[in-house]
């Protein structure tokens, strides 16, 4: 169990806000913090990591107190068992992939973990390359591996996938889920993408102006409020085409395109770029095995 | 999509499925959902819900005599408008519960010889109706 209670006055573009949160996270959960920029998401991770001072607060991670402002306890960043991945990869450009990983190794720590991570995150073919010879997705895989070298209790990901294209993003999501499960990590993710939140997280916290306004399972928070249909996805309208007396609407869901029919009166309320929920009843879709 | 406000009149649950009866005006609609009053708090007798179904799922039968058919949801009405396309056509029907829009093949309109002002029965399968709070 991880208990996080933090208060801090933040200066944002739209004026001062008071960040005031109180969350309990179960060990092994993947929890997403979702909200507009300037809502205080990154500040929460930085305070967790000890990179930003809280005005008042308490962080207890698996019975170890990392922060208790009333008792004057505040562990240094290196004493907190965390792995951090940022949007910009922050790799050492003059070192190879393997050297980047070795650099994160603690004194007297077994080197076995490096080979293990290279294996899990499939960096074998890349291990002797320098970062400049890597694609964005590959760099982020290295950054993910490096964040795990010290076997953290909490993995923190600050919009790690926002600079990647959809295909790469889906692949990285799978790697993150894989290590999250394999190392029984408690993972905190910041994300702007509803489809990503739904795919990745056990719990989502929606943060507005420094406060958590909603918390729960992502499906419950983002979807079932609207319709009872169990075959339900969120996506974005990319194309609308008139066909006879009806319209064919193409919707991008993750990396897949689906087409659905809409009627003239519905189309008046829809335009390209709109975020939509596509729903059908669980009784309709066919399931067929692929060979 | 067609949507109508109603009140939950009855709930039958078995395992994780529930058969919900919703009263819309004077007509009772039935839908089956993978929810129970335990998993969805809005499933409570007397609660207001909206029933939703797609235009392409509306079935048309000539006349207002109740046909003997497995479709549970039926409401009678009068055709207000027919927009005919090459393959598909849109029907606007004034029914007991309000205007229902149906999209059917143009061939079926020809075969049934449907016309504006005709009295017909609209039908929707219980597996095609979704609920919204």
């Amino acid at each position: 169990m991880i208990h996080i209670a933090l208060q801090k006055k933040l200066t944002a573009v739209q004026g001062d806000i008071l960040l005031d949160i109180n969350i309990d996270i179960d060990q092994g959960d993947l929890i997403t913090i979702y909200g507009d920029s300037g809502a205080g998401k990154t500040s929460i991770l930085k305070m967790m990591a000890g990179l930003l001072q809280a005005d008042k607060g308490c962080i207890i991670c698996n019975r170890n107190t990392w922060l208790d402002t009333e008792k004057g306890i505040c562990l240094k960043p290196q004493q907190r068992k965390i792995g951090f991945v940022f949007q910009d990869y922050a790799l050492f450009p003059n070192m190879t992939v393997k050297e980047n990983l070795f650099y994160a190794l603690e004194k007297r720590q077994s080197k076995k973990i490096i080979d293990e991570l290279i294996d899990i995150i499939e960096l074998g073919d890349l291990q002797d390359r320098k970062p400049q010879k890597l694609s964005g997705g590959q760099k982020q895989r290295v950054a993910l591996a490096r964040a795990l070298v010290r076997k953290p209790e909490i993995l923190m990901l600050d919009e790690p996938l926002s600079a990647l294209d959809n295909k790469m993003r889906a692949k990285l999501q799978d790697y993150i889920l894989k290590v999250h499960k394999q190392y029984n990590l408690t993972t905190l993710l910041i994300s702007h993408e509803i489809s990503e939140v739904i795919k990745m997280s056990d719990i989502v916290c929606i943060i507005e102006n420094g406060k958590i306004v909603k918390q729960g399972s992502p499906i419950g928070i983002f979807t079932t409020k609207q319709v009872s249909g169990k075959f339900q996805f969120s996506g974005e309208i990319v194309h609308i085409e008139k066909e006879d007396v009806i319209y064919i609407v193409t919707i991008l869901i993750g990396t897949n395109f689906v087409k659905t029919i809409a009627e003239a009166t519905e189309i008046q309320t829809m335009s390209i770029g709109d975020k939509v929920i596509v729903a059908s009843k669980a009784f309709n879709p066919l399931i067929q095995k692929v060979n | 999509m067609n949507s109508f406000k109603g009140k939950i009149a009855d709930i039958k649950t078995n395992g994780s499925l529930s058969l919900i009866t919703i009263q819309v005006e004077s007509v009772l609609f039935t839908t089956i959902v993978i929810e129970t009053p335990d998993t969805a708090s809005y499933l409570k007798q007397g609660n207001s819900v909206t029933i939703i179904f797609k235009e392409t799922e509306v079935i048309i039968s000539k006349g207002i005599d109740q046909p003997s058919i497995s479709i549970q949801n039926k409401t009678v009405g009068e055709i207000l408008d027919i927009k005919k396309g090459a393959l598909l056509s849109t029907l606007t029907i004034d029914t007991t519960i309000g205007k229902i829009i149906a999209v059917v093949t143009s061939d079926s309109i020809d075969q049934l010889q449907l016309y504006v002002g005709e009295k017909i029965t609209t039908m929707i399968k219980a597996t095609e109706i979704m609920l919204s709070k």
Side-chain angles (χ1 to χ4, degrees), chain B residues 4 9-10 20-25 27-31 51 53 72-75 95 97 100 122-124 126 129:
Chain B
F4 299 95
D10 187 44
I20 317 283
T21 308
I22 304 109
Q23 178 158 10
V24 183
E25 304 293 337
V27 182
L28 291 175
F29 280 83
T30 307
T31 176
I51 61 165
F53 51 94
Q72 280 199 287
N73 301 304
K74 306 182 195 82
T75 168
T95 73
I97 61 164
I100 290 181
T122 60
M123 296 176 281
I124 308 104
I129 295 179

mmCIF file of all heavy atoms in Angstrom, chain B residues 4 9-10 20-25 27-31 51 53 72-75 95 97 100 122-124 126 129:
data_model
loop_
_atom_site.group_PDB
_atom_site.id
_atom_site.type_symbol
_atom_site.label_atom_id
_atom_site.label_comp_id
_atom_site.label_asym_id
_atom_site.label_seq_id
_atom_site.Cartn_x
_atom_site.Cartn_y
_atom_site.Cartn_z
ATOM 1 N N PHE B 4 -35.749 7.428 -26.671
ATOM 2 C CA PHE B 4 -37.007 7.786 -26.002
ATOM 3 C C PHE B 4 -36.851 7.625 -24.501
ATOM 4 O O PHE B 4 -36.250 6.659 -24.036
ATOM 5 C CB PHE B 4 -38.148 6.882 -26.503
ATOM 6 C CG PHE B 4 -38.403 7.004 -27.967
ATOM 7 C CD1 PHE B 4 -37.809 6.116 -28.861
ATOM 8 C CD2 PHE B 4 -39.198 8.033 -28.476
ATOM 9 C CE1 PHE B 4 -38.015 6.228 -30.226
ATOM 10 C CE2 PHE B 4 -39.405 8.151 -29.839
ATOM 11 C CZ PHE B 4 -38.816 7.259 -30.720
ATOM 12 N N ALA B 9 -40.126 -0.443 -15.540
ATOM 13 C CA ALA B 9 -41.345 -1.014 -14.978
ATOM 14 C C ALA B 9 -41.070 -2.356 -14.305
ATOM 15 O O ALA B 9 -41.734 -2.731 -13.349
ATOM 16 C CB ALA B 9 -42.387 -1.189 -16.078
ATOM 17 N N ASP B 10 -40.070 -3.072 -14.809
ATOM 18 C CA ASP B 10 -39.812 -4.403 -14.249
ATOM 19 C C ASP B 10 -38.371 -4.830 -14.555
ATOM 20 O O ASP B 10 -37.810 -4.450 -15.586
ATOM 21 C CB ASP B 10 -40.800 -5.417 -14.858
ATOM 22 C CG ASP B 10 -40.691 -6.782 -14.200
ATOM 23 O OD1 ASP B 10 -40.607 -6.812 -12.946
ATOM 24 O OD2 ASP B 10 -40.666 -7.797 -14.912
ATOM 25 N N ILE B 20 -35.017 -6.135 -18.844
ATOM 26 C CA ILE B 20 -35.572 -4.899 -18.289
ATOM 27 C C ILE B 20 -36.813 -4.512 -19.102
ATOM 28 O O ILE B 20 -36.747 -4.468 -20.332
ATOM 29 C CB ILE B 20 -34.550 -3.746 -18.376
ATOM 30 C CG1 ILE B 20 -33.143 -4.189 -17.974
ATOM 31 C CG2 ILE B 20 -35.020 -2.526 -17.593
ATOM 32 C CD1 ILE B 20 -32.904 -4.349 -16.529
ATOM 33 N N THR B 21 -37.889 -4.211 -18.425
ATOM 34 C CA THR B 21 -39.081 -3.698 -19.103
ATOM 35 C C THR B 21 -39.171 -2.204 -18.813
ATOM 36 O O THR B 21 -39.079 -1.780 -17.663
ATOM 37 C CB THR B 21 -40.344 -4.414 -18.605
ATOM 38 O OG1 THR B 21 -40.121 -5.814 -18.715
ATOM 39 C CG2 THR B 21 -41.558 -4.021 -19.423
ATOM 40 N N ILE B 22 -39.312 -1.428 -19.878
ATOM 41 C CA ILE B 22 -39.349 0.025 -19.739
ATOM 42 C C ILE B 22 -40.671 0.531 -20.314
ATOM 43 O O ILE B 22 -41.042 0.170 -21.430
ATOM 44 C CB ILE B 22 -38.176 0.694 -20.489
ATOM 45 C CG1 ILE B 22 -36.842 0.114 -19.995
ATOM 46 C CG2 ILE B 22 -38.180 2.209 -20.318
ATOM 47 C CD1 ILE B 22 -36.171 -0.757 -20.989
ATOM 48 N N GLN B 23 -41.352 1.356 -19.547
ATOM 49 C CA GLN B 23 -42.587 1.924 -20.059
ATOM 50 C C GLN B 23 -42.293 3.280 -20.703
ATOM 51 O O GLN B 23 -41.795 4.206 -20.068
ATOM 52 C CB GLN B 23 -43.607 2.093 -18.933
ATOM 53 C CG GLN B 23 -44.879 2.725 -19.463
ATOM 54 C CD GLN B 23 -46.089 2.458 -18.587
ATOM 55 O OE1 GLN B 23 -45.973 1.946 -17.471
ATOM 56 N NE2 GLN B 23 -47.267 2.816 -19.088
ATOM 57 N N VAL B 24 -42.579 3.374 -22.024
ATOM 58 C CA VAL B 24 -42.420 4.628 -22.751
ATOM 59 C C VAL B 24 -43.831 5.031 -23.195
ATOM 60 O O VAL B 24 -44.451 4.297 -23.966
ATOM 61 C CB VAL B 24 -41.498 4.456 -23.977
ATOM 62 C CG1 VAL B 24 -41.286 5.797 -24.681
ATOM 63 C CG2 VAL B 24 -40.162 3.855 -23.576
ATOM 64 N N GLU B 25 -44.305 6.147 -22.700
ATOM 65 C CA GLU B 25 -45.722 6.522 -22.902
ATOM 66 C C GLU B 25 -46.585 5.327 -22.473
ATOM 67 O O GLU B 25 -46.425 4.864 -21.352
ATOM 68 C CB GLU B 25 -45.992 6.918 -24.375
ATOM 69 C CG GLU B 25 -45.097 8.046 -24.896
ATOM 70 C CD GLU B 25 -45.355 9.395 -24.241
ATOM 71 O OE1 GLU B 25 -46.451 9.634 -23.718
ATOM 72 O OE2 GLU B 25 -44.426 10.230 -24.244
ATOM 73 N N VAL B 27 -46.501 2.358 -24.025
ATOM 74 C CA VAL B 27 -45.953 1.136 -24.625
ATOM 75 C C VAL B 27 -44.855 0.546 -23.730
ATOM 76 O O VAL B 27 -44.018 1.271 -23.197
ATOM 77 C CB VAL B 27 -45.379 1.436 -26.029
ATOM 78 C CG1 VAL B 27 -44.860 0.165 -26.686
ATOM 79 C CG2 VAL B 27 -46.421 2.095 -26.913
ATOM 80 N N LEU B 28 -44.860 -0.774 -23.569
ATOM 81 C CA LEU B 28 -43.806 -1.431 -22.786
ATOM 82 C C LEU B 28 -42.727 -1.959 -23.726
ATOM 83 O O LEU B 28 -43.019 -2.642 -24.705
ATOM 84 C CB LEU B 28 -44.391 -2.594 -21.978
ATOM 85 C CG LEU B 28 -45.323 -2.220 -20.822
ATOM 86 C CD1 LEU B 28 -45.908 -3.477 -20.190
ATOM 87 C CD2 LEU B 28 -44.604 -1.392 -19.767
ATOM 88 N N PHE B 29 -41.481 -1.599 -23.443
ATOM 89 C CA PHE B 29 -40.340 -2.094 -24.221
ATOM 90 C C PHE B 29 -39.539 -3.046 -23.352
ATOM 91 O O PHE B 29 -39.438 -2.854 -22.146
ATOM 92 C CB PHE B 29 -39.444 -0.934 -24.653
ATOM 93 C CG PHE B 29 -39.958 -0.198 -25.850
ATOM 94 C CD1 PHE B 29 -40.928 0.786 -25.708
ATOM 95 C CD2 PHE B 29 -39.492 -0.502 -27.116
ATOM 96 C CE1 PHE B 29 -41.416 1.459 -26.819
ATOM 97 C CE2 PHE B 29 -39.978 0.167 -28.228
ATOM 98 C CZ PHE B 29 -40.941 1.148 -28.076
ATOM 99 N N THR B 30 -38.937 -4.048 -24.011
ATOM 100 C CA THR B 30 -38.111 -5.001 -23.277
ATOM 101 C C THR B 30 -36.714 -4.996 -23.866
ATOM 102 O O THR B 30 -36.551 -4.953 -25.084
ATOM 103 C CB THR B 30 -38.693 -6.422 -23.400
ATOM 104 O OG1 THR B 30 -40.050 -6.353 -23.017
ATOM 105 C CG2 THR B 30 -37.974 -7.385 -22.510
ATOM 106 N N THR B 31 -35.715 -5.003 -23.006
ATOM 107 C CA THR B 31 -34.339 -5.107 -23.486
ATOM 108 C C THR B 31 -33.577 -6.044 -22.564
ATOM 109 O O THR B 31 -33.888 -6.154 -21.375
ATOM 110 C CB THR B 31 -33.644 -3.735 -23.562
ATOM 111 O OG1 THR B 31 -32.284 -3.929 -23.935
ATOM 112 C CG2 THR B 31 -33.687 -2.992 -22.236
ATOM 113 N N ILE B 51 -34.217 4.752 -23.705
ATOM 114 C CA ILE B 51 -33.933 3.593 -24.547
ATOM 115 C C ILE B 51 -33.376 4.117 -25.876
ATOM 116 O O ILE B 51 -33.804 5.151 -26.378
ATOM 117 C CB ILE B 51 -35.175 2.684 -24.777
ATOM 118 C CG1 ILE B 51 -36.306 3.448 -25.484
ATOM 119 C CG2 ILE B 51 -35.670 2.095 -23.484
ATOM 120 C CD1 ILE B 51 -37.375 2.521 -26.054
ATOM 121 N N PHE B 53 -31.986 2.911 -29.837
ATOM 122 C CA PHE B 53 -31.779 1.862 -30.858
ATOM 123 C C PHE B 53 -31.478 2.513 -32.200
ATOM 124 O O PHE B 53 -31.883 3.633 -32.483
ATOM 125 C CB PHE B 53 -32.973 0.896 -30.939
ATOM 126 C CG PHE B 53 -34.312 1.567 -31.071
ATOM 127 C CD1 PHE B 53 -34.875 1.787 -32.328
ATOM 128 C CD2 PHE B 53 -35.019 1.986 -29.948
ATOM 129 C CE1 PHE B 53 -36.122 2.396 -32.460
ATOM 130 C CE2 PHE B 53 -36.265 2.598 -30.066
ATOM 131 C CZ PHE B 53 -36.818 2.813 -31.326
ATOM 132 N N GLN B 72 -40.250 -8.809 -29.466
ATOM 133 C CA GLN B 72 -41.116 -8.388 -28.358
ATOM 134 C C GLN B 72 -41.572 -6.944 -28.448
ATOM 135 O O GLN B 72 -42.637 -6.598 -27.962
ATOM 136 C CB GLN B 72 -40.353 -8.576 -27.046
ATOM 137 C CG GLN B 72 -40.364 -10.004 -26.556
ATOM 138 C CD GLN B 72 -40.015 -10.020 -25.086
ATOM 139 O OE1 GLN B 72 -38.864 -9.807 -24.719
ATOM 140 N NE2 GLN B 72 -40.994 -10.261 -24.243
ATOM 141 N N ASN B 73 -40.731 -6.103 -29.028
ATOM 142 C CA ASN B 73 -41.042 -4.676 -28.992
ATOM 143 C C ASN B 73 -41.760 -4.234 -30.261
ATOM 144 O O ASN B 73 -41.201 -4.304 -31.346
ATOM 145 C CB ASN B 73 -39.752 -3.877 -28.802
ATOM 146 C CG ASN B 73 -39.046 -4.267 -27.529
ATOM 147 O OD1 ASN B 73 -39.637 -4.209 -26.458
ATOM 148 N ND2 ASN B 73 -37.804 -4.716 -27.652
ATOM 149 N N LYS B 74 -42.997 -3.799 -30.082
ATOM 150 C CA LYS B 74 -43.800 -3.386 -31.238
ATOM 151 C C LYS B 74 -44.531 -2.108 -30.878
ATOM 152 O O LYS B 74 -45.016 -1.945 -29.766
ATOM 153 C CB LYS B 74 -44.839 -4.447 -31.586
ATOM 154 C CG LYS B 74 -44.278 -5.846 -31.797
ATOM 155 C CD LYS B 74 -45.413 -6.792 -32.173
ATOM 156 C CE LYS B 74 -45.015 -8.244 -32.036
ATOM 157 N NZ LYS B 74 -45.120 -8.759 -30.667
ATOM 158 N N THR B 75 -44.590 -1.204 -31.852
ATOM 159 C CA THR B 75 -45.422 -0.031 -31.657
ATOM 160 C C THR B 75 -46.006 0.376 -33.014
ATOM 161 O O THR B 75 -45.327 0.297 -34.041
ATOM 162 C CB THR B 75 -44.660 1.130 -30.956
ATOM 163 O OG1 THR B 75 -45.437 2.307 -31.043
ATOM 164 C CG2 THR B 75 -43.312 1.384 -31.570
ATOM 165 N N THR B 95 -45.315 7.403 -34.318
ATOM 166 C CA THR B 95 -45.841 6.268 -33.546
ATOM 167 C C THR B 95 -46.434 6.740 -32.220
ATOM 168 O O THR B 95 -46.342 7.919 -31.875
ATOM 169 C CB THR B 95 -44.731 5.242 -33.226
ATOM 170 O OG1 THR B 95 -43.878 5.807 -32.228
ATOM 171 C CG2 THR B 95 -43.898 4.904 -34.460
ATOM 172 N N ILE B 97 -45.232 6.428 -29.388
ATOM 173 C CA ILE B 97 -44.220 6.976 -28.470
ATOM 174 C C ILE B 97 -43.499 8.196 -29.052
ATOM 175 O O ILE B 97 -42.713 8.825 -28.373
ATOM 176 C CB ILE B 97 -43.174 5.902 -28.071
ATOM 177 C CG1 ILE B 97 -42.404 5.375 -29.300
ATOM 178 C CG2 ILE B 97 -43.834 4.755 -27.328
ATOM 179 C CD1 ILE B 97 -41.137 4.641 -28.920
ATOM 180 N N ILE B 100 -40.244 7.757 -34.944
ATOM 181 C CA ILE B 100 -39.190 6.750 -35.073
ATOM 182 C C ILE B 100 -38.651 6.835 -36.497
ATOM 183 O O ILE B 100 -39.421 6.972 -37.454
ATOM 184 C CB ILE B 100 -39.732 5.321 -34.802
ATOM 185 C CG1 ILE B 100 -40.071 5.162 -33.309
ATOM 186 C CG2 ILE B 100 -38.738 4.248 -35.242
ATOM 187 C CD1 ILE B 100 -40.592 3.778 -32.929
ATOM 188 N N THR B 122 -43.984 -0.918 -36.179
ATOM 189 C CA THR B 122 -42.521 -0.936 -36.117
ATOM 190 C C THR B 122 -42.116 -1.903 -35.014
ATOM 191 O O THR B 122 -42.790 -1.985 -33.987
ATOM 192 C CB THR B 122 -41.937 0.450 -35.789
ATOM 193 O OG1 THR B 122 -42.436 0.853 -34.524
ATOM 194 C CG2 THR B 122 -42.312 1.481 -36.827
ATOM 195 N N MET B 123 -41.023 -2.619 -35.248
ATOM 196 C CA MET B 123 -40.581 -3.621 -34.274
ATOM 197 C C MET B 123 -39.076 -3.526 -34.054
ATOM 198 O O MET B 123 -38.327 -3.215 -34.984
ATOM 199 C CB MET B 123 -40.926 -5.012 -34.795
ATOM 200 C CG MET B 123 -42.436 -5.225 -34.918
ATOM 201 S SD MET B 123 -42.830 -6.805 -35.621
ATOM 202 C CE MET B 123 -42.547 -6.497 -37.330
ATOM 203 N N ILE B 124 -38.660 -3.766 -32.826
ATOM 204 C CA ILE B 124 -37.229 -3.762 -32.481
ATOM 205 C C ILE B 124 -36.956 -4.946 -31.557
ATOM 206 O O ILE B 124 -37.647 -5.134 -30.558
ATOM 207 C CB ILE B 124 -36.789 -2.457 -31.767
ATOM 208 C CG1 ILE B 124 -37.228 -1.231 -32.569
ATOM 209 C CG2 ILE B 124 -35.284 -2.421 -31.567
ATOM 210 C CD1 ILE B 124 -38.420 -0.529 -31.985
ATOM 211 N N ALA B 126 -35.293 -7.227 -28.655
ATOM 212 C CA ALA B 126 -34.850 -6.895 -27.292
ATOM 213 C C ALA B 126 -33.329 -6.808 -27.210
ATOM 214 O O ALA B 126 -32.769 -6.103 -26.374
ATOM 215 C CB ALA B 126 -35.365 -7.933 -26.306
ATOM 216 N N ILE B 129 -31.814 -3.009 -28.132
ATOM 217 C CA ILE B 129 -32.101 -1.768 -27.412
ATOM 218 C C ILE B 129 -31.076 -1.556 -26.304
ATOM 219 O O ILE B 129 -30.848 -2.427 -25.476
ATOM 220 C CB ILE B 129 -33.541 -1.780 -26.826
ATOM 221 C CG1 ILE B 129 -34.556 -1.798 -27.975
ATOM 222 C CG2 ILE B 129 -33.770 -0.558 -25.936
ATOM 223 C CD1 ILE B 129 -35.999 -1.825 -27.535
#
